[in-house]
């Protein structure tokens, strides 16, 4: 077999894969079970980008060739757009030291959006030095791309760097990936700097001009997106004019072409016809997205579709497509955002109370739709009715709390929804309610073994809960604050906020646990006050502190006769608030705000009024009930009524004719 293979390879040059393929076909025609010739044929097909033929050759060769050519089979599946199956085939190999299969599995997992598995594989591969040229650089590039995708997906890795390193500035690929991470974290200013650096490095590279043009296009498209997000539409239009559509169509897939068209359309500052814009973007719907964009890209494209449909007043179509979005509570941001478009369609692009009248009945029919819930809350807040917004979210939380499903509890304590409620409580001064919600959410997630949310979101929740619980006087709250800050400090000892919170929590819960190591993480007091000039502060008018002695009285002393008391300045009334006969020289009656009958100058007229006043006077005569000897006083109304009755009976008793 070795001699056959040697003669086969001797008939072809190293770079002519067509000749290699022809020689393999000749050999296999004589011996169908020649596994080595079959494997060479598969490699030749891969080099010729005939991935479907390579897959068919492997599957027709039986299990033996699948085992022998596992790397080639997995790679062909990956290149043919079957990443899930490619990752499965590569994972079947028990030999973890096979770097080729691990690379293919990592790439396939990345394309399959299993970013956690891809990041794990790249970390393992990076622990050992690469066996081929530039492998270490490729690992750095691919790891950076994986971290960026985890940021976009809201599942940021704890190992991901929070700031770009110096190594990221050495190649345009790493700078570009660091910029993508910054965009996902909404650090747009930093992303713009990194993208400019990536473009400079690409221009200065040793690639030929055609390769440079191909690499600069996605960098420019990303720059365009950043400028649009920053609201710098004039700069975005100038950049869009420099992007050559020929380069976009010549070097890139249809997804990149579509994103370039969308970003260019978004730079327009003039009011355009939404029907024409829709026609321009979707003139070839069959070839828009054959590359299966990532989930966050698909969600953005769908939002753009709905935006154009709203502008074109296609309300009924949006309502039909969003009706079945949220049958159960979900934390998927794409689904929640699309529900907001459904609410806008129901409201017919109206706002305020008119929109509430249209959206609230929809929320009653779909009580689990978080997007609709948040839209209604926002409308209530715009209508200056935050109490109604709070009531909506509290009722939603109450329904979720009574549910037995674990997913419902995850939604109940989602950091985003907790943040909304806490913000509303804080705006109304309900600090105890806010503290209680933060504490319940922190306790829930501390008991959760595998949280379905990002570690960054949990970190923000724990910090907010810990800071709020530090103000509580309840020992259980103080203990929870200490646990939260201890967890955050152990996770990242360089986090000064966590270090300061830990010291503050232990100072109240367990002072003996504070050691020199924890204190050393804080900024020394001398450094904090080193730039303060005390003399300058006193000269500027800062009052000096006076020591309080035992004989010093804190009460305000009465004005002495020798020092005349300063007369307070009288406020000048506005003309619109003064009556016509108002005399500023005349002293106002201090009892003018009291009812007339309660003023000291009130003098009743008539026997009834005098009798009524006498009954309410302190020390006045008390009428006694003749029938009871208890001495209980009779109400004034009864006394008056009794007198008038007696009077009438006397008249009646005379018996004379009129």
């Amino acid at each position: 077999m070795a001699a056959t293979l040697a003669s086969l390879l001797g008939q072809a040059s190293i770079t002519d894969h067509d000749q290699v393929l022809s020689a393999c076909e000749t050999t296999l025609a004589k011996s169908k079970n020649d596994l080595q010739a079959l494997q060479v044929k598969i490699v030749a097909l891969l080099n010729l980008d005939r991935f479907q033929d390579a897959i068919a050759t492997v599957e027709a060769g039986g299990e033996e060739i699948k085992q022998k050519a596992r790397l080639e089979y997995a790679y062909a599946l990956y290149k043919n757009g079957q990443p899930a199956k490619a990752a499965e085939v590569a994972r079947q190999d028990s030999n973890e030291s096979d770097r080729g299969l691990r690379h293919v599995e990592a790439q396939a997992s990345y394309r399959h959006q299993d970013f956690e598995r891809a990041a794990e594989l790249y970390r393992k591969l990076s622990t050992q030095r690469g066996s081929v040229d530039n492998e270490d650089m490729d690992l750095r590039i691919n790891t950076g791309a994986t971290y960026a995708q985890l940021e976009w997906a809201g599942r940021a890795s704890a190992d991901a760097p929070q700031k770009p390193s110096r190594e990221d500035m050495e190649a345009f690929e790493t700078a570009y990936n660091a910029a993508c991470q910054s965009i996902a974290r909404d650090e747009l200013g930093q992303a713009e700097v990194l993208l400019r650096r990536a473009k400079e490095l690409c221009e200065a590279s040793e690639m030929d001009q055609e390769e440079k043009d191909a690499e600069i296009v996605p960098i420019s498209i990303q720059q365009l997106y950043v400028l649009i997000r920053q609201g710098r539409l004039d700069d975005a239009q100038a950049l869009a004019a420099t992007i050559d559509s020929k380069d976009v169509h010549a070097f890139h897939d249809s997804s990149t072409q579509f994103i370039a068209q969308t970003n260019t359309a978004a730079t327009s500052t003039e009011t355009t016809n939404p029907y024409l814009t829709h026609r321009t973007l979707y003139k070839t719907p069959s070839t828009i997205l054959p590359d299966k964009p990532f989930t966050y890209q698909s969600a953005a494209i769908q939002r753009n579709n709905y935006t154009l449909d709203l502008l074109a007043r296609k309300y009924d179509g949006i309502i039909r497509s969003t009706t079945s979005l949220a049958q159960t509570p979900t934390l998927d941001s794409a689904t929640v955002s699309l529900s907001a478009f459904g609410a806008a369609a129901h409201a017919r692009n109206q706002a305020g109370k008119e929109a509430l009248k249209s959206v609230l009945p929809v929320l009653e029919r779909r009580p689990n739709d978080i997007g609709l819930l948040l839209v209604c809350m926002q409308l209530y807040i715009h209508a200056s009715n935050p109490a109604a917004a709070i009531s909506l979210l509290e009722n939603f939380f109450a329904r979720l709390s009574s549910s037995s499903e674990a997913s419902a509890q995850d939604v109940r304590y989602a950091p985003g929804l907790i943040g909304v409620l806490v913000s509303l409580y804080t705006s109304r001064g309900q600090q105890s309610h806010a503290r209680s919600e933060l504490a319940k959410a922190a306790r829930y997630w501390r008991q959760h073994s595998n949280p379905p949310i990002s570690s960054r979101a949990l970190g923000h929740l724990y910090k907010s809960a810990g800071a709020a619980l530090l103000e509580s006087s309840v020992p259980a709250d103080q203990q929870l604050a200490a646990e939260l800050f201890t967890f955050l400090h152990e996770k990242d000892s360089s986090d000064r906020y966590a270090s300061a919170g830990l010291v503050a929590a232990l100072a109240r819960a367990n002072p003996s646990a504070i050691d020199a190591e924890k204190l050393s993480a804080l900024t020394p007091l001398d450094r904090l006050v080193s730039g303060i000039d005390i003399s300058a502060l006193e000269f500027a008018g800062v009052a000096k502190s006076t020591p309080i002695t035992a004989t010093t009285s804190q009460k305000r002393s009465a004005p002495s006769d020798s020092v005349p008391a300063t007369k307070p300045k009288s406020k000048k009334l506005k003309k619109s608030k003064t009556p016509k006969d108002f005399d500023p020289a005349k002293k106002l009656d201090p009892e003018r705000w009291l009812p007339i009958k309660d003023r000291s100058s009130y003098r009743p007229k008539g026997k009834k009024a005098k009798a009524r006043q006498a009954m309410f006077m302190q020390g006045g005569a008390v009428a006694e009930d003749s029938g009871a000897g208890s001495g209980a006083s009779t109400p004034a109304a009864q006394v008056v009524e009794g007198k008038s009755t007696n009077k009438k009976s006397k008249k009646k008793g005379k018996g004379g004719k009129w």
Side-chain angles (χ1 to χ4, degrees):
M1 187 175 295
T4 304
L5 181 62
S7 62
L8 184 150
L9 295 176
Q11 299 174 19
S13 63
I14 297 176
T15 58
D16 194 344
H17 304 292
D18 285 315
Q19 293 185 18
V20 173
L21 182 60
S22 177
C24 288
E25 294 287 0
T26 303
T27 304
L28 291 171
K30 300 177 181 178
S31 175
K32 294 182 179 180
N33 297 326
D34 192 338
L35 294 179
Q36 198 161 7
L38 194 59
Q39 186 175 15
V40 172
K41 175 184 176 181
I42 295 168
V43 173
L45 290 171
L46 294 178
N47 283 307
L48 294 171
D49 292 341
R50 295 170 57 179
F51 305 112
Q52 185 61 48
D53 293 337
I55 294 172
T57 302
V58 173
E59 292 177 348
E63 290 298 324
E64 194 171 357
I65 190 60
K66 285 184 179 180
Q67 295 296 329
K68 183 175 181 60
R70 184 180 299 278
L71 174 61
E72 292 83 355
Y73 184 37
Y75 182 74
L77 289 169
Y78 164 70
K79 295 294 289 185
N80 197 47
Q82 303 179 54
K85 189 174 181 180
E88 181 183 356
V89 170
R91 197 179 300 120
Q92 290 175 359
D93 183 33
S94 59
N95 186 8
E96 290 290 334
S97 62
D98 192 329
R99 295 181 68 85
L101 281 170
R102 299 290 77 76
H103 271 288
V104 174
E105 182 187 354
Q107 286 286 82
S109 300
Y110 176 91
R111 186 64 258 183
H112 187 51
Q113 302 190 58
D114 188 359
F115 304 121
E116 288 84 355
R117 175 60 177 169
E120 178 187 355
L121 289 169
Y122 283 132
R123 281 194 295 268
K124 290 180 178 179
L125 289 169
S126 299
T127 56
Q128 299 176 355
R129 188 172 181 82
S131 57
V132 296
D133 294 339
N134 297 324
E135 183 180 354
D136 295 331
M137 186 62 183
D138 289 342
L139 285 172
R140 277 178 47 203
I141 294 171
N142 292 347
T143 302
T146 305
Y147 286 153
Q149 292 294 346
L150 283 169
E151 291 280 359
W152 281 113
R155 305 192 300 269
S157 173
D159 300 328
Q162 300 302 313
K163 294 182 180 180
S165 63
R166 183 176 299 178
E167 293 179 345
D168 292 332
M169 301 296 186
E170 296 177 357
F172 73 89
E173 298 97 331
T174 53
Y176 177 80
N177 288 334
C180 291
Q181 294 181 51
S182 298
I183 294 172
R185 292 193 292 260
D186 281 336
E187 298 170 354
L188 301 179
Q190 181 172 276
E192 185 183 4
V193 174
L194 289 168
L195 288 171
R196 284 203 302 266
R197 177 60 177 168
K199 189 173 287 187
E200 292 171 358
L201 292 170
C202 185
E203 290 285 3
S205 65
E206 298 179 354
M207 297 185 297
D208 56 36
Q209 191 58 44
E210 186 176 347
E211 292 177 330
K212 290 180 182 179
D213 293 339
E215 296 292 350
I216 284 177
V217 165
I219 300 175
S220 298
I221 295 174
Q222 203 75 297
Q223 277 184 303
L224 199 59
Y225 174 76
V226 170
L227 292 174
I228 294 171
R229 286 281 307 276
Q230 291 177 322
R232 297 162 55 185
L233 296 182
D234 293 337
D235 295 337
Q237 285 181 339
L239 178 61
T242 64
I243 300 176
D244 191 349
S245 59
K246 294 181 180 179
D247 292 339
V248 178
H249 289 275
F251 302 120
H252 295 281
D253 52 45
S254 57
S255 293
T256 304
Q257 297 172 21
F258 182 77
I259 294 171
Q261 291 177 359
T262 303
N263 289 351
T264 303
T267 61
S268 176
T269 57
E270 300 177 358
T271 303
T272 57
N273 189 330
Y275 299 96
L276 293 178
T277 304
H278 192 283
R279 181 180 178 183
T280 302
L281 291 177
Y282 301 98
K283 56 186 177 182
T284 53
S286 61
T287 59
I288 289 175
L289 303 172
D291 306 313
K292 297 182 180 179
F294 294 115
T295 301
Y296 72 91
Q297 291 175 318
S298 300
I301 292 170
Q302 186 62 60
R303 289 194 295 269
N304 290 337
N305 293 345
Y306 283 150
T307 301
L308 288 174
D309 289 343
L310 286 174
L311 293 174
R313 303 181 184 277
K314 297 181 179 180
Y315 305 127
D316 294 337
I318 299 176
I319 291 172
R320 285 194 300 270
S321 60
T322 58
T323 298
S324 59
L325 276 178
Q327 299 295 336
T328 57
T330 177
L331 292 177
D332 182 39
S333 59
T335 303
V336 172
S337 63
L338 294 182
S339 295
F341 286 94
H346 280 285
R348 297 301 194 264
N349 281 344
Q350 292 179 319
K353 295 181 179 179
E354 293 79 7
L356 269 173
K357 292 178 183 178
S358 304
V359 179
L360 280 176
V362 183
L363 181 62
E364 292 177 1
R365 296 194 299 268
R366 293 156 56 185
N368 294 327
D369 195 328
I370 298 177
L372 280 175
L373 174 72
L374 293 176
V375 169
C376 292
M377 292 177 62
Q378 189 73 7
L379 292 172
Y380 271 129
I381 292 170
H382 279 299
S384 301
N385 191 0
I390 292 175
S391 178
L392 275 181
L393 191 53
E394 286 178 339
N395 293 336
F396 178 68
F397 280 172
R399 290 196 303 272
L400 292 179
S401 298
S402 61
S403 176
S404 59
E405 297 182 3
S407 59
Q409 301 308 311
D410 291 345
V411 176
R412 163 64 179 87
Y413 296 106
L417 294 177
I418 293 295
V420 171
L421 186 57
V422 168
S423 178
L424 290 172
Y425 280 149
T426 305
S427 66
R428 293 174 57 84
Q430 298 174 292
Q431 302 297 338
S432 60
H433 289 71
R435 189 184 306 120
S436 174
E437 282 296 327
L438 286 169
K440 287 190 289 187
R443 288 191 178 96
Y444 175 80
W445 291 115
R446 288 291 293 132
Q447 299 171 359
H448 207 294
S449 58
N450 188 20
I453 54 180
S454 67
S455 57
R456 179 174 298 140
L458 278 181
H460 289 314
L461 174 66
Y462 290 160
K463 288 180 180 179
S464 300
L469 293 172
L470 285 176
E471 301 176 2
S472 174
S473 58
V474 180
D477 291 345
Q478 298 175 13
Q479 183 63 34
L480 179 58
E483 293 177 4
L484 294 175
F485 282 119
T486 300
F487 170 77
L488 293 171
H489 181 71
E490 292 175 351
K491 186 178 179 181
D492 184 6
S493 59
S494 62
D495 189 342
R496 292 191 175 184
Y497 190 98
S499 301
L502 177 59
V503 172
L506 293 177
R508 301 185 66 181
N510 187 12
S512 60
I514 302 176
D515 52 20
E517 182 181 356
K518 293 183 177 64
L519 292 175
S520 63
L522 304 181
T523 304
L525 184 61
D526 296 339
R527 187 185 304 173
L528 292 175
V529 301
S530 60
I532 300 176
D533 189 346
I534 300 176
S535 301
L537 288 176
E538 292 180 349
F539 182 77
V542 177
K544 298 181 180 180
S545 59
T546 304
I548 300 175
T549 60
T551 58
T552 304
S553 175
Q554 296 298 307
K555 294 183 179 180
R556 182 183 297 174
S557 58
S560 60
D561 297 335
S562 59
V563 181
T566 58
K567 188 177 181 181
K569 294 182 179 180
S570 58
K571 295 182 178 179
K572 188 176 181 180
L573 297 175
K574 296 181 179 179
K575 284 187 177 182
S576 61
K577 294 187 177 182
T578 56
K580 295 180 180 179
D581 56 348
F582 175 70
D583 185 5
K586 186 178 179 181
K587 186 178 179 181
L588 297 176
D589 184 7
E591 296 182 350
R592 63 187 181 277
W593 306 111
L594 297 176
I596 294 177
K597 65 179 181 179
D598 293 338
R599 299 181 187 178
S600 59
S601 60
Y602 173 65
R603 296 292 180 268
K605 295 181 180 181
K607 292 182 180 181
K608 290 183 180 181
K610 289 181 179 179
R612 187 186 299 274
Q613 187 186 33
M615 293 306 300
F616 286 107
M617 287 176 59
Q618 186 174 0
V622 179
E624 295 184 356
D625 188 358
S626 59
S630 62
S633 61
T634 305
Q638 294 180 16
V639 173
V640 174
E641 187 180 355
K643 286 185 178 180
S644 63
T645 305
N646 293 337
K647 200 169 186 180
K648 287 181 181 178
S649 61
K650 264 187 180 180
K651 276 188 177 182
K652 208 170 184 181
K654 287 183 178 180
K657 290 185 178 180
W658 295 98

